[in-house]
């Protein structure tokens, strides 16, 4: 997908996420909208993951460690052809098969996530296995910044550096908000770049709601240098909807009918608020 198409796809995904959360009556729309551009570039530009090669050895691997952004992942997978988009309408309904957190029973989902802080550990194991099998696969892990307070993240970071897992690429959705407030008040993380560097990682920092910047950073991250790479993606929680942006209450909240209509107008051709 070309860059101009990616920008259009991000807008389409945001609108689909809004519809999915609204009709489901639940979801983590703030984090869905902040991570949307990252998932878009990964699946439509950078990763070798398709419905056709899903059972083929040597494809890339993806883990959404911030599993509460399942709506964003499901919309991305539907757009990629893993299952019909119409299935999104049933999310949140009994027997839907689309639970509130990623589950391996959903086509295209590689790992059950949602217990925060475990995704990077899974990624380390996958990267080690792929290196042993000499497949050349890349392993991508998307984390939320709130989960970086978990000690298991840093154990995994240490192991990845120790084993020189240069085909492991982590991306942090750095929207600076979690369910209980700003990350710097809940558990300070800055300077995050120096923390990752101290654990032996190559660190890139970008605007995480700019598809071109994401694409360029991922291209650099694929260049071997004997160490894992983390991309710190500075994003806006609720990106694209003016009254949701940088508001912690939209971590987990469903729009009212009037809020839904306003958000839909903004995401369907109105001015951008990123």
């Amino acid at each position: 997908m070309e860059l101009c198409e990616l920008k259009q796809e991000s807008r389409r995904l945001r609108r689909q996420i809004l519809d999915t959360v609204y009709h489901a009556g639940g979801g983590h729309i703030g984090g869905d909208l902040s991570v949307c551009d990252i998932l878009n570039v990964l699946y439509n530009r950078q990763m070798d993951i398709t419905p056709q090669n899903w059972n083929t050895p040597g494809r890339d691997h993806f883990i959404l460690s911030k599993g509460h952004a399942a709506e964003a992942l499901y919309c991305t997978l539907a757009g990629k052809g893993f299952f019909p988009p119409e299935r999104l309408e049933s999310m949140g309904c009994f027997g839907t098969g689309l639970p509130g957190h990623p589950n391996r029973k959903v086509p295209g989902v590689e790992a059950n996530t949602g217990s925060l802080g475990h995704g990077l550990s899974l990624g380390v194991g996958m990267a080690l296995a792929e290196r042993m099998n000499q497949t050349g696969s890349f392993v991508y892990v998307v984390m939320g910044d709130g989960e970086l307070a978990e000690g298991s993240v840093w154990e995994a970071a240490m192991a990845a550096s120790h084993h020189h897992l240069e085909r492991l690429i982590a991306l942090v959705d750095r929207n600076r908000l979690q369910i209980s407030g700003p990350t710097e008040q809940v558990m300070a993380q800055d300077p995050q770049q120096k923390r990752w560097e101290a654990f032996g990682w190559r660190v890139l920092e970008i605007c995480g709601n700019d598809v071109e910047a994401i694409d360029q950073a991922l291209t650099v991250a694929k260049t071997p240098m004997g160490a894992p790479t983390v991309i710190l993606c500075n994003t806006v929680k609720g990106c694209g909807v003016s009254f949701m942006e940088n508001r912690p209450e939209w971590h987990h909240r469903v729009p009212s009918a009037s809020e839904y209509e306003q958000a839909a107008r903004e995401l369907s051709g109105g001015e951008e608020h990123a």
Side-chain angles (χ1 to χ4, degrees), residues 34-213:
S34 67
V35 80
C36 173
D37 302 291
I38 298 169
L39 297 181
N40 180 18
V41 176
L42 282 169
Y43 275 92
N44 294 308
R45 179 92 169 172
Q46 287 284 345
M47 293 195 305
D48 181 24
I49 298 178
T50 67
Q52 292 72 34
N53 73 0
W54 184 248
N55 294 312
T56 303
R59 67 168 174 83
D60 291 337
H61 301 275
F62 176 77
I63 298 168
L64 181 66
S65 188
K66 52 170 288 180
H68 53 283
E71 300 83 23
L73 178 59
Y74 294 162
C75 290
T76 304
L77 291 174
K80 192 71 176 175
F82 278 93
F83 53 85
E86 295 76 20
R87 188 173 170 186
L88 294 167
E89 298 174 3
S90 68
M91 184 175 174
C93 300
F94 180 74
T96 175
L98 293 179
H101 289 79
N103 187 288
R104 291 185 63 194
K105 293 181 180 180
V106 178
V109 173
E110 191 133 24
N112 293 21
T113 55
S115 181
L116 294 175
H118 295 169
L120 191 60
S121 297
L122 290 170
V124 169
M126 287 182 180
L128 279 169
E130 293 299 333
R131 187 168 70 186
M132 291 172 64
N133 292 331
Q134 299 181 337
T135 63
S137 300
F138 284 92
V139 178
Y140 299 84
V141 181
V142 169
M143 298 180 286
D145 50 6
E147 71 179 289
L148 298 188
E150 298 283 354
S152 55
V153 171
W154 301 104
E155 291 181 55
M158 211 167 21
S161 174
H162 175 77
H163 291 290
H164 306 287
L165 298 180
E166 62 185 5
R167 290 183 176 271
L168 174 64
I169 300 173
L171 300 97
V172 178
D173 181 13
R174 185 73 167 114
N175 60 37
R176 296 180 173 271
L177 289 173
Q178 57 193 98
I179 193 168
S180 48
T183 56
E184 292 307 294
Q185 294 180 17
V186 177
M187 185 66 71
Q189 302 178 9
D190 287 336
Q192 213 181 101
Q193 180 171 349
K194 290 184 178 179
R195 294 182 184 226
W196 285 99
E197 288 175 344
F199 276 79
W201 285 59
R202 169 171 56 181
V203 183
L204 306 173
E205 188 165 6
I206 61 169
C207 172
N209 294 128
D210 181 334
V211 294
E212 186 171 0

Side-chain angles (χ1 to χ4, degrees), residues 231-264:
I231 305 174
L232 305 179
C233 303
N234 294 304
T235 62
V236 176
K237 195 148 191 163
C239 182
V241 179
S242 59
F243 59 88
M244 295 184 187
E245 290 184 349
N246 292 315
R247 300 290 295 272
E249 63 265 32
W250 284 102
H251 178 87
H252 186 278
R253 180 180 162 186
V254 179
S256 65
S258 60
E259 288 170 334
Y260 170 78
E261 292 298 331
Q262 180 180 341

